[in-house]
Amino acid sequence: MNQKKNNRYMPILMAVSVVVGILIGTFYANHFSGNRLSIINSGSNKLNNLLRLVDDQYVDTVNVNDLVEKAMPQILAELDPHSVYISAKDMQIANDDLKGSFSGVGIEFTIRQDTLHVQNVIKNGPAERAGLIAGDKIVKVDDKEFTGKTLTNEEAMHRLKGPKDTKVKLGVLRNHEKTLRNFVVTRGDIPTKSVTAAYMLDDKTGYIRIKNFGENTYPELLIALAQLSQQDFENLTIDLRGNTGGYLESAVQIANEFLPKGNLIVYTQGRKSPRQEYRSDGRGSYQRIPLVVLIDEGSASASEILAGAIQDNDRGTIIGRRSFGKGLVQKPMAFNDGSMIRLTIARYYSPSGRCIQKPYVSGDNRDYEEDLLVRYQHGEFFSQDSIKHKGPAYKTRIGREVFGGGGITPDIFVAEDTTDVTSYYKQASMSGLIIQFAYDYTDNNREKLSDYKTMKELGTYLKKQNIVEKFAAYGEKNGLKRRNLMIQRSHKLLERYLISRIVYNMMSEEAWLQYINEDDPAIEQTLKVFREGKATPELPQKAKVKKTAYHRDIRSNQLKRISTIIC
């Protein structure tokens, strides 16, 4: 029955898809190309006629607006992997990360066992002022039940976010209490930081982690640099691993801070977009500081603009693994109903002239979406020789060879080590049990853990708690079969992952990063480069990186994804 119904609607959906495509084309031509095409009038009339016919005469009642909403993403998917349609209801979520702030209650949460758990409370935010603490479980919102199978991240954000100065009543269960507590929270502006860590790796080396490129990333970077200046840093590491990008302008501003006057940072060019160049103005305060930029397969878009500008101008050393390969520029275009399309209008090119965009087939994104998995299977994460460049070679300012056609290839390759990875470790990571255990352990021991004020103190304490054995018992109770030999082999990996999650739960993302960076081979290689005075490239260089018992699995990906959401 359902199949027949789907078949009945298919011709209509296809027709509407074609016509809506014409509408998008006319919208773009009308507003951005400056030319009025003859198809505009006929296209608009055709669309109106088709929708009127469907609405008036089709055999069944049809929600025409719903058909159009379904057709829009399909049309854009025929163009390239990054042209997208964002419905009005999804606009806020799509923009929050890049805007620098939003209005909400000020908590980080995770959903476990159909219940919303408060992971952290934003300092000086509305929830903290109202009295909420980490570990609370929100079970009612405005006197309505807030648990069950229907509770999703999207639903939670919809209920907890809202206009500034509006109130929301939260029913909360506190750990070890059976009586419901009620809190009235007045929503307020919640900052979303893109610079999530700034600290000293050693006496001379500053470290800054940039999570994405939003509206406030550049001023956040300047604040971080000022903080490091107070500690007399002489070298700088910028960590872009897992940074999927954001605003081109933010990447350009940051590159400008490190480049001498007149250097090309990036240029964009498209069929209807004339070449536009972005050059450094010479006002940057850190034009001579030794610089290393860390990238990996999760670094994309604006991250690649910054890394490409530093590499092509021979300004610093790029360390890590080949970046994602997104070299398409999208322009946001809003519709009257609050929805929006992000349409690809140009490609961006690094200073040497290379386009970083990896190959794709229009209308078929399967290979594109599976590219990282293919790289993993082909051994690219473990051997620099396995990298397959799908583009010509280019030259940097001093003649070093670099490649286009699929991401930024680092100057110094750091392999992912799988020496101590076992199937037990993979299953524990991918199942989410490690994160679940870490949260439960934190919740049950929060009072004791709060005695430790620094990451080092807390990490030292946790290493004495036989945390791996406690997890193995927990996992066995929750369906993860105990494998003693595998647990022994992966003991260091398991302990590292478990403790890092508890540190994050109790402290901050910066403390978490400090913990996992302590034995990170990319950080070790970075410090070696600074010690040897090779942060500014002079000749093509390769380095063999000593493998350590370290693993960042492409699927569990603990460095790139933190399983909490801010509201």
Side-chain angles (χ1 to χ4, degrees), residues 528-545:
K528 179 182 178 183
V529 165
F530 286 133
R531 285 195 302 269
E532 295 176 352
K534 296 181 179 179
T536 302
E538 295 180 358
L539 294 171
Q541 53 182 296
K542 293 183 180 180
K544 292 183 179 180
V545 181

Side-chain angles (χ1 to χ4, degrees), residues 23-24 33 88 91 99 118 132 144 161 173 180 189 224 233 252 270 277 303 316 339 362 385-386 403 566:
L23 181 62
I24 292 174
S33 70
M91 276 291 292
K99 285 295 183 183
V118 178
L132 271 76
K144 294 181 180 178
K161 290 182 178 180
L173 285 175
L180 191 71
D189 291 333
F233 79 110
V252 169
E277 293 186 352
S303 295
S339 62
S362 297
D385 294 335
S386 298
F403 294 90
I566 304 177

Side-chain angles (χ1 to χ4, degrees), residues 88-113:
K89 68 181 180 65
D90 293 331
M91 276 291 292
Q92 182 180 5
I93 297 173
N95 290 330
D96 278 347
D97 279 348
L98 300 180
K99 285 295 183 183
S101 69
F102 62 89
S103 180
V105 298
I107 62 170
E108 292 182 21
F109 71 85
T110 183
I111 295 175
R112 294 189 50 249
Q113 298 176 342

Side-chain angles (χ1 to χ4, degrees), residues 361-432:
V361 177
S362 297
D364 186 357
N365 294 337
R366 287 173 298 180
D367 289 345
Y368 191 85
E369 292 169 351
E370 294 176 358
D371 174 62
L372 295 186
L373 182 59
V374 170
R375 292 193 205 179
Y376 186 87
Q377 293 171 339
H378 286 178
E380 183 178 317
F381 291 5
F382 317 112
S383 169
Q384 186 171 10
D385 294 335
S386 298
I387 298 176
K388 296 180 179 180
H389 295 107
K390 298 181 179 179
Y394 296 81
K395 298 291 184 181
T396 69
R397 289 172 69 90
I398 63 172
R400 297 188 304 134
E401 192 171 63
V402 292
F403 294 90
I408 300 288
T409 300
D411 301 310
I412 299 177
F413 176 79
V414 176
E416 181 171 345
D417 179 32
T418 59
T419 304
D420 296 323
V421 174
T422 60
S423 59
Y424 180 89
Y425 175 80
K426 286 184 178 181
Q427 191 175 352
S429 302
M430 295 168 61
S431 65

Side-chain angles (χ1 to χ4, degrees), residues 294-315:
L294 303 179
I295 62 171
D296 66 5
E297 56 280 348
S299 307
S301 189
S303 295
E304 294 170 299
I305 291 175
L306 177 55
I310 298 301
Q311 187 177 56
D312 285 9
N313 285 295
D314 301 296
R315 174 61 186 82

Side-chain angles (χ1 to χ4, degrees), residues 9-18 67-68 70-71 74:
Y9 279 82
M10 188 58 68
I12 299 172
L13 182 58
M14 293 177 66
V16 173
S17 297
V18 172
L67 281 179
V68 173
K70 291 177 180 177
Q74 298 300 320

